[in-house]
């Protein structure tokens, strides 16, 4: 386990970039006193419903009213109202830093102190000293924010130009803060200590009810370690995607069956983050079919439920991820035209947003590559370089290096499929065709057409997480005696969506007719 960075002493504290002349960290408004007292009481009573209401609603209401431009009161100022309870103070401080990061004005001092707080908070949880129940939303937000702050720190550290000698000295001194091994160790330790993988295995045998209870313990125990361990598997997927290690990321998520409802679907932010990173990892591994299926499901879910989250603090993030996943779905379908895997309502939205671009992306010329570049750059995660730079070398910004590498690999894959568009077009219109004839159409010799067909086979097949070879192709073929025989999968026709839309239209017409008053 990575050790926590030592606390900053007064001689090494950089000036806070988030402090305001009007901000007094010791001043606690009456509304905040009432908030922390009631929240503390509900946590002690394990009243999960009231905790969720205060965390998800009251905290944001008070933030908008009193702390839009300043941080919340310091933990030292509120601790006297909660009996100086150590665990509550760590939880409050985690929320305090999260609010600070949400405002966007965070200096090196706050980043290091937030790391220290996570080390202490997760350390207490791992030692089993937390006998409380917290809402899944809060526990997900902890893991989500932990990974986000790690990503943010790596981007911050990679922008070396303009950093003062004092900041460089601090980065050297506190090199354990947000170290990639420390982050991965904490997430893996939460998975291991919670025994969540064993719990999920026992659940398959009918010996546990983890998913049925949404991870809560109704026998007087705590859900904190188990649910943090569960969400840490999603956190590990996300970190490995940021590092470009997609195989390992999907391996970390394997204990969660994403084809079924689970605890990850109980929080919309967790649901979206899981499928977004799962889909992106499969896209980069050429498992386009798996990516399309999951993007389709989550986009359909968002389409049906987003109106219920309009007042949520996460609404903007939901909309952003929604748009990014439509872009990723457009990429997947351009590389692997499996439209039959997409629901009609999702496909209609996709065509409205990217229909014209997807048509142009089929051409595989310079304009098409520019569109792939554009959509990938818009929708990909913010990749990171996890290692610290050599501070003795000239200071340059390298925060875009990881992104450029992943973009290069992606466009290289796209370019390799350039010839496949032509061969797929001909295979679509023939049930059988000789190699000589196909070679003539493609304006290549027979040896080259064999190579192209083998490339098509290779590019439309990939190994899944268990090593089994799966096909992403809507058209398959085999060669017998120099004749290419085409096998095309027939999509099953769907009538349900059409009739549902017509029923809704009819109900609207009936409502309008009822409103007309006849003389």
């Amino acid at each position: 386990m990575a050790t926590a960075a030592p606390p900053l002493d007064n001689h090494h504290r950089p000036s806070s970039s988030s402090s305001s002349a009007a901000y007094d960290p010791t001043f606690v408004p009456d509304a905040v006193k009432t908030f922390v007292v009631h929240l503390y009481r509900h946590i002690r009573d394990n009243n999960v419903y009231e905790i969720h209401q205060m965390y998800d609603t009251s905290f944001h209401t008070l933030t908008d009213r009193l702390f839009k431009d300043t941080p919340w009161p310091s933990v030292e100022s509120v601790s006297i109202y909660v009996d100086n309870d150590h665990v509550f103070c760590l939880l409050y401080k985690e929320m305090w830093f999260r609010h600070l990061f949400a405002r966007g004005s965070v200096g090196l001092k706050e980043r290091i102190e937030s790391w220290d707080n996570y080390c202490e908070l997760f350390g207490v949880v791992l030692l089993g000293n937390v006998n409380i129940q917290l809402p899944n939303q809060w526990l997900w937000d902890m893991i989500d924010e932990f990974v986000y702050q790690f990503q943010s720190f790596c981007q911050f550290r990679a922008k070396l130009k303009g950093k003062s000698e004092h900041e460089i000295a601090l980065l050297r001194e506190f090199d354990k803060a947000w170290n990639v091994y420390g982050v991965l160790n904490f997430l893996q330790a939460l998975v291991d200590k919670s025994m969540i993988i064993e719990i999920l295995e026992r659940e398959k045998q009918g010996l546990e009810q983890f998913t049925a209870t949404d991870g809560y313990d109704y026998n007087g125990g705590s859900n904190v370690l188990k649910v943090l361990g569960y969400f840490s598997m999603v956190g590990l997927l996300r970190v490995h995607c940021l590092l470009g290690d997609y195989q390992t990321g999907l391996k970390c998520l394997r204990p969660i069956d994403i084809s079924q409802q689970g605890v990850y679907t109980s929080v919309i932010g967790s649901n979206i983050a899981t499928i977004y990173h799962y889909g992106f990892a499969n896209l980069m591994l050429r498992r386009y079919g798996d990516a399309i299926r999951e993007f389709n499901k989550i986009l359909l879910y968002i389409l049906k439920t987003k109106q219920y989250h309009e007042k949520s603090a996460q609404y903007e993030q939901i909309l952003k991820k929604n748009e990014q996943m439509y872009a990723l779905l457009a990429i997947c379908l351009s590389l692997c035209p499996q439209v039959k895997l997409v629901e009609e309502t999702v496909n209609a939205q996709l065509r409205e947003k990217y229909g014209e671009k997807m048509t142009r992306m089929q051409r595989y010329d310079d304009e098409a590559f520019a569109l792939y570049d554009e959509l990938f750059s818009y929708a990909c995660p913010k990749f990171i370089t996890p290692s610290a730079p050599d501070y003795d070398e000239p200071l340059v910004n390298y925060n875009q290096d990881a992104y450029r590498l992943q973009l290069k690999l992606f466009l290289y894959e796209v370019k390799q499929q350039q010839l496949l568009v032509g061969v797929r077009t001909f295979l679509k219109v023939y049930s059988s065709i000789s190699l000589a004839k196909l070679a003539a159409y493609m304006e290549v010799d027979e040896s080259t057409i064999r190579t192209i067909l083998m490339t098509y086979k290779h590019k439309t097949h990939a190994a899944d997480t268990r090593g089994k070879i799966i096909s992403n192709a809507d058209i398959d073929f085999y060669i017998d005696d120099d004749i290419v025989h085409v096998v095309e999968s027939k999509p099953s026709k769907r009538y349900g969506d059409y009739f549902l839309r017509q029923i809704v239209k009819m109900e609207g017409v009936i409502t309008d007719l009822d409103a007309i008053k006849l003389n």
Side-chain angles (χ1 to χ4, degrees), residues 93-130:
K93 207 169 179 183
E94 194 270 338
M95 293 166 66
W96 189 93
F97 279 115
R98 195 171 342 135
H99 169 241
L100 198 69
F101 273 78
R103 290 177 53 235
S105 53
V106 188
L108 182 54
K109 166 195 166 186
E110 291 89 354
R111 294 176 189 275
I112 295 173
E113 287 181 344
S114 182
W115 165 256
D116 289 341
N117 188 67
Y118 274 118
C119 289
E120 197 171 352
L121 175 58
F122 289 157
V124 169
V125 171
L126 289 167
L127 289 172
N129 295 336
V130 178

Side-chain angles (χ1 to χ4, degrees), residues 158-162 395-401 404:
K159 296 175 182 177
L160 288 173
K161 274 188 179 179
L395 301 183
V396 294
N397 291 345
Y398 65 97
N399 56 303
Q400 293 291 314
D401 287 3
R404 291 194 189 103

Side-chain angles (χ1 to χ4, degrees), residues 354-366:
Y354 294 110
E356 184 186 344
K357 288 184 178 180
M358 288 174 68
T359 302
R360 285 187 282 162
M361 286 161 74
Q362 293 294 323
R363 293 204 295 262
Y364 287 84
D365 52 17
D366 289 342

